[in-house]
Amino acid sequence: MENAVKKKLQMLLYHIALFMEIAIGIIIVGALLISVVGLLHEMEILYVNRLEDYAFGEFLAAAFNVVIGIEFLKMLCRHNLSSVIEVLLFAIARGMVVEHMGPVENLCSVFAIAILFMIRKFLFIPGVDSQRDKDEHI
């Protein structure tokens, strides 16, 4: 009897977490749509100030933020290691391209990207993620 109550409580908590995740996903979609409008505004600023150094950097920062947001949303939907690695790759790449970091920080970022690619190539087993997804939905 106690085991059945525990199982029902676990399922209830799982469904609440799933609902909250969907709600956050919808909020993120709204924020992404607003960000795309902001990206269009950044394009206008880029056109007006095309000779200024800051204009292209601001546009790149806004574009990377939208891309990272999209990848994060995909990560929430898919729940697999590949999605997490993609989000991390984009976040590190954004830091390298947009932020003007020193040589040591750039080298650390390159090493981090290399490690993520090695994880994806040598340690990532797609069957494990797909089997875990099947087990969770049973």
Side-chain angles (χ1 to χ4, degrees):
M1 181 72 175
E2 183 178 307
N3 198 16
V5 172
K6 181 179 176 183
K7 193 73 160 173
K8 284 184 181 185
L9 185 59
Q10 285 177 336
M11 287 305 294
L12 176 66
L13 291 175
Y14 176 78
H15 288 296
I16 290 171
L18 187 63
F19 175 75
M20 290 173 63
E21 189 175 63
I22 291 170
I24 289 172
I26 291 169
I27 292 169
I28 291 173
V29 167
L32 284 170
L33 292 173
I34 293 169
S35 295
V36 168
V37 172
L39 187 61
L40 295 174
H41 179 68
E42 288 293 331
M43 284 182 64
E44 178 186 344
I45 292 171
L46 178 63
Y47 180 75
V48 171
N49 300 323
R50 59 185 167 267
L51 299 178
E52 302 294 327
D53 289 338
Y54 72 89
F56 188 64
E58 293 295 320
F59 174 75
L60 279 180
F64 264 114
N65 287 340
V66 171
V67 169
I68 291 170
I70 292 168
E71 290 299 323
F72 183 73
L73 181 63
K74 288 172 23 180
M75 181 184 74
L76 282 178
C77 294
R78 281 194 262 159
H79 296 126
N80 60 25
L81 180 62
S82 180
S83 311
V84 174
I85 290 175
E86 287 175 14
V87 170
L88 291 173
L89 284 171
F90 279 115
I92 294 169
R94 181 200 183 279
M96 289 180 68
V97 172
V98 175
E99 307 295 325
H100 298 290
M101 299 186 296
V104 174
E105 290 89 358
N106 279 333
L107 185 61
C108 289
S109 296
V110 169
F111 282 141
I113 288 174
I115 289 169
L116 288 172
F117 275 118
M118 285 191 289
I119 289 170
R120 178 187 255 172
K121 176 77 174 170
F122 298 112
L123 299 178
F124 177 59
I125 304 168
V128 172
D129 271 342
S130 62
Q131 183 61 38
R132 183 181 56 83
D133 289 341
K134 288 177 187 174
D135 291 344
E136 283 184 358
H137 294 296
I138 292 179

